[in-house]
Amino acid sequence: MEETSTPKRERLISELIKGRDSTMTLQNLLRRRFVDGGLVLAEDLLNKILESFSDSLSKLCSSGEVCPACDQSTCSDNRREMVVSAVKDRRGCYKRRKRENSRVKIDDTIEDGYGWRKYGQKTILDANFPRCYYRCTHKDEGCRALKQVQKLQDGPEMFQITYFGFHTCQNIKKQTQMFSDSEDLSTFLLNFEDSRINQSPSSPCTITDVHITPSLKQEEDSKAQSDDHDMSFGDIWTDMIGNLDPLYDDIFKDGISIDDFKFN
DNA sequence: CCCATTTGACCTTC
DNA sequence: GAAGGTCAAATGGG
């Protein structure tokens, strides 16, 4: 794998630091939820954070190379159109899925560590191979994660895999372990972004629901209500950095260490 | 027998 | 009406 050049590395670090700083500010804002304008500011900050993460991911993609985060050359604008979902009372009764809540990747295997059950297959116009539809094997536990697998025309072992929704079953625990893979880190970041896009306040798709064990204690938190927030943004950030693939870890070897990302 | 896959029907969206 | 997404009966494997 190609080494990240120093200027590129610095830009990447800069973007990540921006993300961290914005996240910290947002963290403080969220502690004062519903204080004048706080929600509006929080929304702006979220956009900043997501831009930073997206930019960082873009910089990790060589030009012309498929982005590991979304398998497209341009990361940010390709996961927008279609989607979600569906109250079904009878056979075939559903609402067409949109792509807002989707993450796309191209891989040489459809295996991703999760248990999936195939529930359909469809011939797609202008595609040489049928599209296969999978849902989580834990659907009976309420897990609504779905994925579509489309074998690509231009390669014998390349699949375009589109994920919808998030695992709310026990499968979810694998997500932190999967950060040892750089692509899975990207997936997590995309999940994070998508969860922001689609969250209603009552939606179950929150960082909390990822069930990552809290690891940091924030001193300001003594009074903060932690009833529905098991984990802070700082924790997540620390987890992400701490589980980076060696490729990303190299970035921190020279000029910057993980300690530089510590939260106050 | 249980569970996963296949496949045609059914439904929504465009 | 075409295309895509989902359902569920039928089927097959362990």
Side-chain angles (χ1 to χ4, degrees):
Chain A
M1 181 125 347
E2 212 171 316
E3 194 176 339
T4 310
S5 66
T6 299
K8 197 173 178 179
R9 177 183 304 180
E10 286 174 358
R11 286 200 304 275
L12 172 60
I13 292 170
S14 171
E15 289 298 334
L16 290 171
I17 290 173
K18 270 168 59 183
R20 179 198 61 176
D21 291 345
S22 297
T23 302
M24 290 173 68
T25 310
L26 174 61
Q27 190 177 40
N28 288 331
L29 263 177
L30 290 176
R31 288 195 184 118
R32 307 183 187 92
R33 326 168 214 188
F34 307 120
V35 178
D36 312 287
L39 290 180
V40 177
L41 289 173
E43 185 66 21
D44 289 344
L45 278 165
L46 279 170
N47 288 331
K48 275 191 187 175
I49 294 164
L50 295 173
E51 273 178 32
S52 295
F53 286 155
S54 296
D55 287 348
S56 301
L57 290 169
S58 298
K59 289 179 174 65
L60 289 171
C61 307
S62 313
S63 59
E65 187 179 334
V66 171
C67 173
C70 63
D71 78 90
Q72 303 288 341
S73 299
T74 53
C75 296
S76 20
D77 298 320
N78 291 301
R79 290 170 290 105
R80 290 289 178 243
E81 315 127 46
M82 107 171 142
V83 184
V84 181
S85 142
V87 182
K88 304 147 201 138
D89 350 59
R90 59 184 194 276
R91 184 173 179 171
C93 183
Y94 71 102
K95 289 192 184 302
R96 187 165 291 180
R97 198 163 289 279
K98 294 183 185 176
R99 291 202 174 275
E100 290 174 355
N101 200 24
S102 68
R103 290 86 60 198
V104 181
K105 76 169 184 177
I106 294 180
D107 208 341
D108 56 3
T109 174
I110 64 172
E111 289 300 321
D112 55 12
Y114 292 93
W116 297 98
R117 177 170 179 170
K118 188 176 180 179
Y119 66 88
Q121 177 172 310
K122 200 66 180 173
T123 300
I124 301 301
L125 193 71
D126 295 332
N128 293 343
F129 301 94
R131 178 176 299 167
C132 297
Y133 301 90
Y134 296 85
R135 60 176 155 241
C136 180
T137 52
H138 296 89
K139 190 199 175 200
D140 55 344
E141 296 172 12
C143 183
R144 299 174 66 186
L146 297 174
K147 78 171 176 181
Q148 297 175 357
V149 176
Q150 174 91 54
K151 186 175 179 180
L152 298 176
Q153 295 96 327
D154 54 354
E157 290 300 326
M158 293 301 286
F159 302 92
Q160 177 174 303
I161 306 171
T162 306
Y163 293 91
F164 297 93
F166 305 92
H167 287 278
T168 55
C169 60
Q170 292 174 345
N171 272 341
I172 207 73
K173 289 177 180 173
K174 294 182 182 178
Q175 288 196 11
T176 50
Q177 299 163 6
M178 287 168 68
F179 285 159
S180 59
D181 183 309
S182 58
E183 188 168 50
D184 292 320
L185 168 64
S186 303
T187 299
F188 172 81
L189 293 175
L190 289 172
N191 286 350
F192 173 49
E193 175 175 348
D194 288 330
S195 69
R196 180 206 71 88
I197 292 168
N198 293 289
Q199 282 321 298
S200 66
S202 58
S203 168
C205 289
T206 63
I207 294 298
T208 300
D209 290 326
V210 193
H211 293 151
I212 304 170
T213 307
S215 58
L216 283 184
K217 193 101 180 157
Q218 302 288 322
E219 72 275 8
E220 266 187 314
D221 266 345
S222 56
K223 291 258 173 160
Q225 201 38 298
S226 61
D227 46 333
D228 55 352
H229 290 79
D230 294 349
M231 188 172 187
S232 70
F233 271 60
D235 298 328
I236 296 162
W237 182 269
T238 301
D239 271 11
M240 287 193 296
I241 300 301
N243 287 285
L244 286 177
D245 181 88
L247 165 71
Y248 297 95
D249 207 31
D250 282 345
I251 295 170
F252 300 100
K253 271 186 195 157
D254 305 325
I256 190 163
S257 71
I258 290 175
D259 284 345
D260 291 318
F261 289 86
K262 267 185 188 161
F263 287 73
N264 300 326

